[in-house]
Amino acid sequence: MDTILKIDSLTKKYPSLFAVSQLSLSIDKGSVFGLLGPNGSGKTTTLGIILGVTSATSGNFSWFGKNNSSSDRKKIGALLETPNFYSYLSAKSNLKISAKIKGVDYKDIDRVAEIVNLKDRLNDKFKTYSLGMKQRLAIAAALLGNPEVLVLDEPTNGLDPQGIAEIRAVIQNISKIGVTIILASHALDEVEKVCSHVCVIKKGKSLIQGNVNDVLLGENLIEVASSEKEKLKEIATKFSGFKTLKEENHYLLVTLEDSSSSIEFSKYLITNNIIITHFVKRTKSLEEFFLETTKDA
Amino acid sequence: MLDLISIEYIKLKNNSSFWIILVFYMLISFYVVGKADSLPEGSDVFANPPLQFPMIWLTSTYCASFLVLFPSILIILNIGNEFKYKTARQHVIDGLSKTTFILSKFISVCIIATIITIYIILLSLFLGWQSGGEVQDFFGEQFSFIAGFYIQLIGVLSFAFLISILFKRTGISIVVFVGYYFIEVILYYLIFEDSPIRDYLPLEVFNSLTFSPIKDNLDSFSGLSIPEFKLSLNWFSAAIGAIYIAICLSLSILIFNRRDV
């Protein structure tokens, strides 16, 4: 698979701290990559470096497998931190400026305005926009010229629930057409809902990264309970894909091999005449996971 | 290049403070230049009627050069906006190199200087035509002061440009810009009093590119005979001015490239 972005031991040192420390990652074409971390973990600094506005202390990055040049960024649509527009200009004039910089025809303005649902307000001045509209306009600007990559830094920050839902829908629709998306967020559910890959960072260091499902559902956990607890224990340990067992409250917490399915396990118990009173496949929630990983890093 | 010009054009065209300051500058300079001959009543401070061709070129550029603070503030506001709205950052994110960004902003300097210079030419033609008198020479050597004025304008604006790139915030930039005028006066009259260096101080160089039409001043100008004098721009000063412009632009590029935006 094509690599869109490769980051190698990226470090940014400020006088008093390391904002980014030895960060390495690789992002494949077509993925929705979540950069997840609490506030101040170095997400924006990392994006600032790969977008050319912040200089790295050491380390490298490369877009599209090439040496970096500023014109590569014309193929990237980016929203970094805040929507940056001239408040005295209309939304349309602001988009014209972005289009000119990226070398995109003005015709594309109506298309991107349509996507973010701002077509009717294009001629209004940017300063009359609500926060949600400003954010949507920034996404529209990022979409100009059908970029191969979209970099979105906290795109739903400060929005009301409806605004958040709208932005997420936009992101999901864009990812369906094969655009690679890099999404920085401190909101766990956001990453869980829209990302295919994730890198969790804390204090500028990568704690864990990989496929969202691998990272989040690392363990195949099943809660199971029966009136005959001892018999259940005995039978369960004999299951072919059995890994570990733990007693927790009124049920047993069974860990299975990655390869074995919960359905097989439940069938196996039934054929062994166990009467199941409780059977839940437990997905470790991202929140639980997130707090766990970032707690003492 | 054309794209960069149209980007700056969009930003300026819709900026009301740009139009207000520009129109204000135009009205004031029209008034000041138009009143140039009425100030010293009945005296002979002027070698030639200051509003007649070709003296008008000296008069208009000299008077207009006193009002250079207005376009300088325009530039400081214009650059300050890029930092205030974080659009400098966005332009780099969108794919301009930092150097190209500075060059695109320098286009604003050139656009503003060009508009004003064209306006001063039209104003001079109008006032010169109105003042009547026998015209032997519409333009003459004196027309070269339009070139001097243009270089002076770009020069002072480049200096305002450098300051606003350096300080980012509009208020601070204006204070530093005006403050430098006082600093240079101190340098000129106190520090470098007996030194030829003082003639090469940046604002002094730019000032020397326009010339007062007053007789005493002309007399002292290396033995020119006044009635039929041929006075033209000091091209050496113009070259020094151009060097200062290059320095301001290069420093702006250097500073902006070294900084995280």
Side-chain angles (χ1 to χ4, degrees), chain B:
Chain B
M1 179 70 178
L2 277 176
D3 281 346
L4 296 181
I5 294 173
S6 49
I7 289 170
E8 290 309 305
Y9 173 70
I10 294 171
K11 293 177 196 169
L12 288 176
K13 185 183 73 176
N14 300 296
N15 187 338
S16 51
S17 58
F18 166 74
W19 289 110
I20 291 167
I21 295 176
L22 189 68
V23 169
F24 192 64
Y25 173 85
M26 286 177 168
L27 292 176
I28 290 204
S29 52
F30 187 85
Y31 179 80
V32 170
V33 179
K35 290 279 176 194
D37 59 345
S38 63
L39 290 175
E41 208 167 316
S43 69
D44 63 344
V45 286
F46 292 112
N48 300 47
L51 294 185
Q52 279 183 14
F53 290 114
M55 276 307 275
I56 181 71
W57 302 115
L58 258 80
T59 312
S60 60
T61 53
Y62 182 70
C63 294
S65 73
F66 277 100
L67 302 168
V68 75
L69 181 66
F70 293 100
S72 303
I73 287 175
L74 260 186
I75 288 298
I76 291 172
L77 290 174
N78 184 291
I79 307 292
N81 275 347
E82 304 289 352
F83 294 113
K84 181 171 136 196
Y85 300 130
K86 289 194 174 178
T87 39
R89 180 180 167 93
Q90 192 63 43
H91 285 6
V92 174
I93 291 171
D94 286 344
L96 287 189
S97 71
K98 288 180 177 177
T99 304
T100 315
F101 172 76
I102 295 294
L103 293 177
S104 80
K105 292 316 294 175
F106 196 72
I107 289 173
S108 274
V109 168
C110 297
I111 291 176
I112 290 171
T114 306
I115 291 174
I116 289 176
T117 306
I118 290 172
Y119 172 74
I120 295 297
I121 293 172
L122 296 175
L123 175 150
S124 308
L125 288 173
F126 175 75
L127 290 173
W129 165 75
Q130 260 223 331
S131 72
E134 276 183 39
V135 181
Q136 298 133 358
D137 195 356
F138 275 106
F139 297 101
E141 301 276 309
Q142 284 84 342
F143 189 66
S144 61
F145 281 98
I146 287 290
F149 178 71
Y150 189 57
I151 295 169
Q152 182 191 73
L153 205 51
I154 291 190
V156 176
L157 297 188
S158 305
F159 185 60
F161 182 82
L162 171 64
I163 286 173
S164 47
I165 295 290
L166 198 56
F167 294 95
K168 295 184 188 175
R169 303 251 295 275
T170 309
I172 298 174
S173 301
I174 292 175
V175 169
V176 173
F177 179 75
V178 174
Y180 180 77
Y181 271 83
F182 292 102
I183 292 172
E184 192 165 310
V185 167
I186 294 169
L187 290 173
Y188 189 86
Y189 288 105
L190 299 174
I191 315 283
F192 297 123
E193 199 188 351
D194 304 316
S195 160
I197 291 174
R198 71 181 203 163
D199 293 330
Y200 295 96
L201 293 170
L203 297 182
E204 182 55 29
V205 168
F206 293 133
N207 280 339
S208 71
L209 298 178
T210 50
F211 210 80
S212 159
I214 289 169
K215 199 162 113 187
D216 287 351
N217 205 345
L218 297 177
D219 276 340
S220 65
F221 194 77
S222 55
L224 287 159
S225 69
I226 285 155
E228 75 274 24
F229 73 85
K230 298 277 187 205
L231 183 55
S232 75
L233 180 66
N234 181 343
W235 291 101
F236 177 71
S237 298
I240 305 272
I243 291 172
Y244 271 120
I245 292 169
I247 291 173
C248 286
L249 185 57
S250 313
L251 278 177
S252 303
I253 290 172
L254 195 72
I255 291 165
F256 196 68
N257 267 295
R258 288 181 64 116
R259 205 158 52 189
D260 289 349
V261 285

